[in-house]
Amino acid sequence: DAGITQSPRYKITETGRQVTLMCHQTWSHSYMFWYRQDLGHGLRLIYYSAAADITDKGEVPDGYVVSRSKTENFPLTLESATRSQTSVYFCASSRYRLYEQYFGPGTRLTVT
Amino acid sequence: KNQVEQSPQSLIILEGKNCTLQCNYTVSPFSNLRWYKQDTGRGPVSLTIMTFSENTKSNGRYTATLDADTKQSSLHITASQLSDSASYICVVSASNDYKLSFGAGTTVTVRA
């Protein structure tokens, strides 16, 4: 039972590059979420998806793009990475809207 | 704006001792409150979840309390172990929103 996985776990990229972070879950959960976690801040929602082909912005969506063509995958793309996007990114999934969210192990992204 | 405030920001305790973490929230209308444990380098994992009608919920050595009138919750760790060293995050759901409100977390360090 793999649960929810993220790849890569660590990534270093340069300013201006495009980067895609992958998220995969094996539970067929309807809802999937992307968060970023920075020192001194709680987890902040970037984007969420209620089902395949349904996505919506969260609290801090600028500079990010998501897609969800399949229920199990929810990639997050930084179209032109900036230093301010250096962070730890967590993907999460839940079966229903207010049910418990299960988090992936995170991706530590550094933009130089 | 829905907010979740946690205190203290960090604390250090000796192995075997007890400690209590605090969470105050302004989320409304309230749906449920969760405490998550986040080990270094990992995603958050749910410890307890409480709805409006629940005052206390235990999970092993972890006991959470909720006072929905004063909008306060606490997490009590009994007989701490080295493995309790982690960040503890208070998360509150509003019944009219898919989004979760996250506290910034309390970092607990247990020393031998």
Side-chain angles (χ1 to χ4, degrees), chain B residues 25-110:
Chain B
Y25 63 91
T26 61
V27 176
S28 182
F30 176 83
S31 175
N32 59 62
L33 183 147
R34 298 181 177 92
W35 282 94
Y36 278 84
K37 178 186 180 188
Q38 185 177 19
D39 293 316
T40 301
R42 293 178 176 261
V45 175
S46 179
L47 290 174
T48 64
I49 178 172
M50 288 183 292
T51 59
F52 184 88
S53 59
E54 296 175 299
N55 299 119
T56 303
K57 184 73 72 76
S58 291
N59 179 357
R61 295 178 296 99
Y62 300 102
T63 299
T65 65
L66 173 65
D67 185 333
D69 292 331
T70 62
K71 298 188 176 181
Q72 296 180 323
S73 176
S74 65
L75 180 69
H76 186 76
I77 304 175
T78 303
S80 61
Q81 300 177 357
L82 296 178
S83 59
D84 292 329
S85 294
S87 179
Y88 292 84
I89 304 171
C90 177
V91 185
V92 185
S93 299
S95 57
N96 62 351
D97 197 352
Y98 64 89
K99 300 173 189 173
L100 304 180
S101 295
F102 290 83
T106 293
T107 300
V108 174
T109 303
V110 181

Side-chain angles (χ1 to χ4, degrees), chain A residues 38-63:
Chain A
D38 304 291
L39 277 176
H41 290 276
L43 285 149
R44 291 183 290 175
L45 182 66
I46 303 171
Y47 269 95
Y48 86 104
S49 169
D53 297 323
I54 300 176
T55 63
D56 204 354
K57 296 177 180 179
E59 183 183 353
V60 288
D62 293 342

Side-chain angles (χ1 to χ4, degrees), chain A:
Chain A
D1 183 2
I4 184 165
T5 57
Q6 294 183 236
S7 62
R9 294 294 314 279
Y10 303 91
K11 177 73 175 178
I12 300 175
T13 191
E14 295 177 341
T15 301
R17 299 253 188 192
Q18 182 179 81
V19 178
T20 296
L21 310 183
M22 304 302 294
C23 177
H24 176 79
Q25 52 105 355
T26 60
W27 297 305
S28 299
H29 283 172
S30 297
Y31 286 81
M32 295 189 74
F33 307 82
W34 274 108
Y35 296 92
R36 60 178 291 173
Q37 187 175 41
D38 304 291
L39 277 176
H41 290 276
L43 285 149
R44 291 183 290 175
L45 182 66
I46 303 171
Y47 269 95
Y48 86 104
S49 169
D53 297 323
I54 300 176
T55 63
D56 204 354
K57 296 177 180 179
E59 183 183 353
V60 288
D62 293 342
Y64 303 95
V65 174
V66 295
S67 62
R68 194 168 176 206
S69 57
K70 293 184 177 181
T71 299
E72 61 267 29
N73 296 325
F74 191 37
L76 175 73
T77 298
L78 289 66
E79 293 189 301
S80 180
T82 65
R83 289 195 180 91
S84 64
Q85 292 177 310
T86 292
S87 186
V88 180
Y89 292 85
F90 288 98
C91 178
S93 73
S94 67
R95 185 170 298 280
Y96 301 115
R97 183 171 68 88
L98 292 179
Y99 276 44
E100 177 180 352
Q101 292 187 17
Y102 295 87
F103 287 82
T107 294
R108 182 174 294 275
L109 176 68
T110 301
V111 182
T112 62

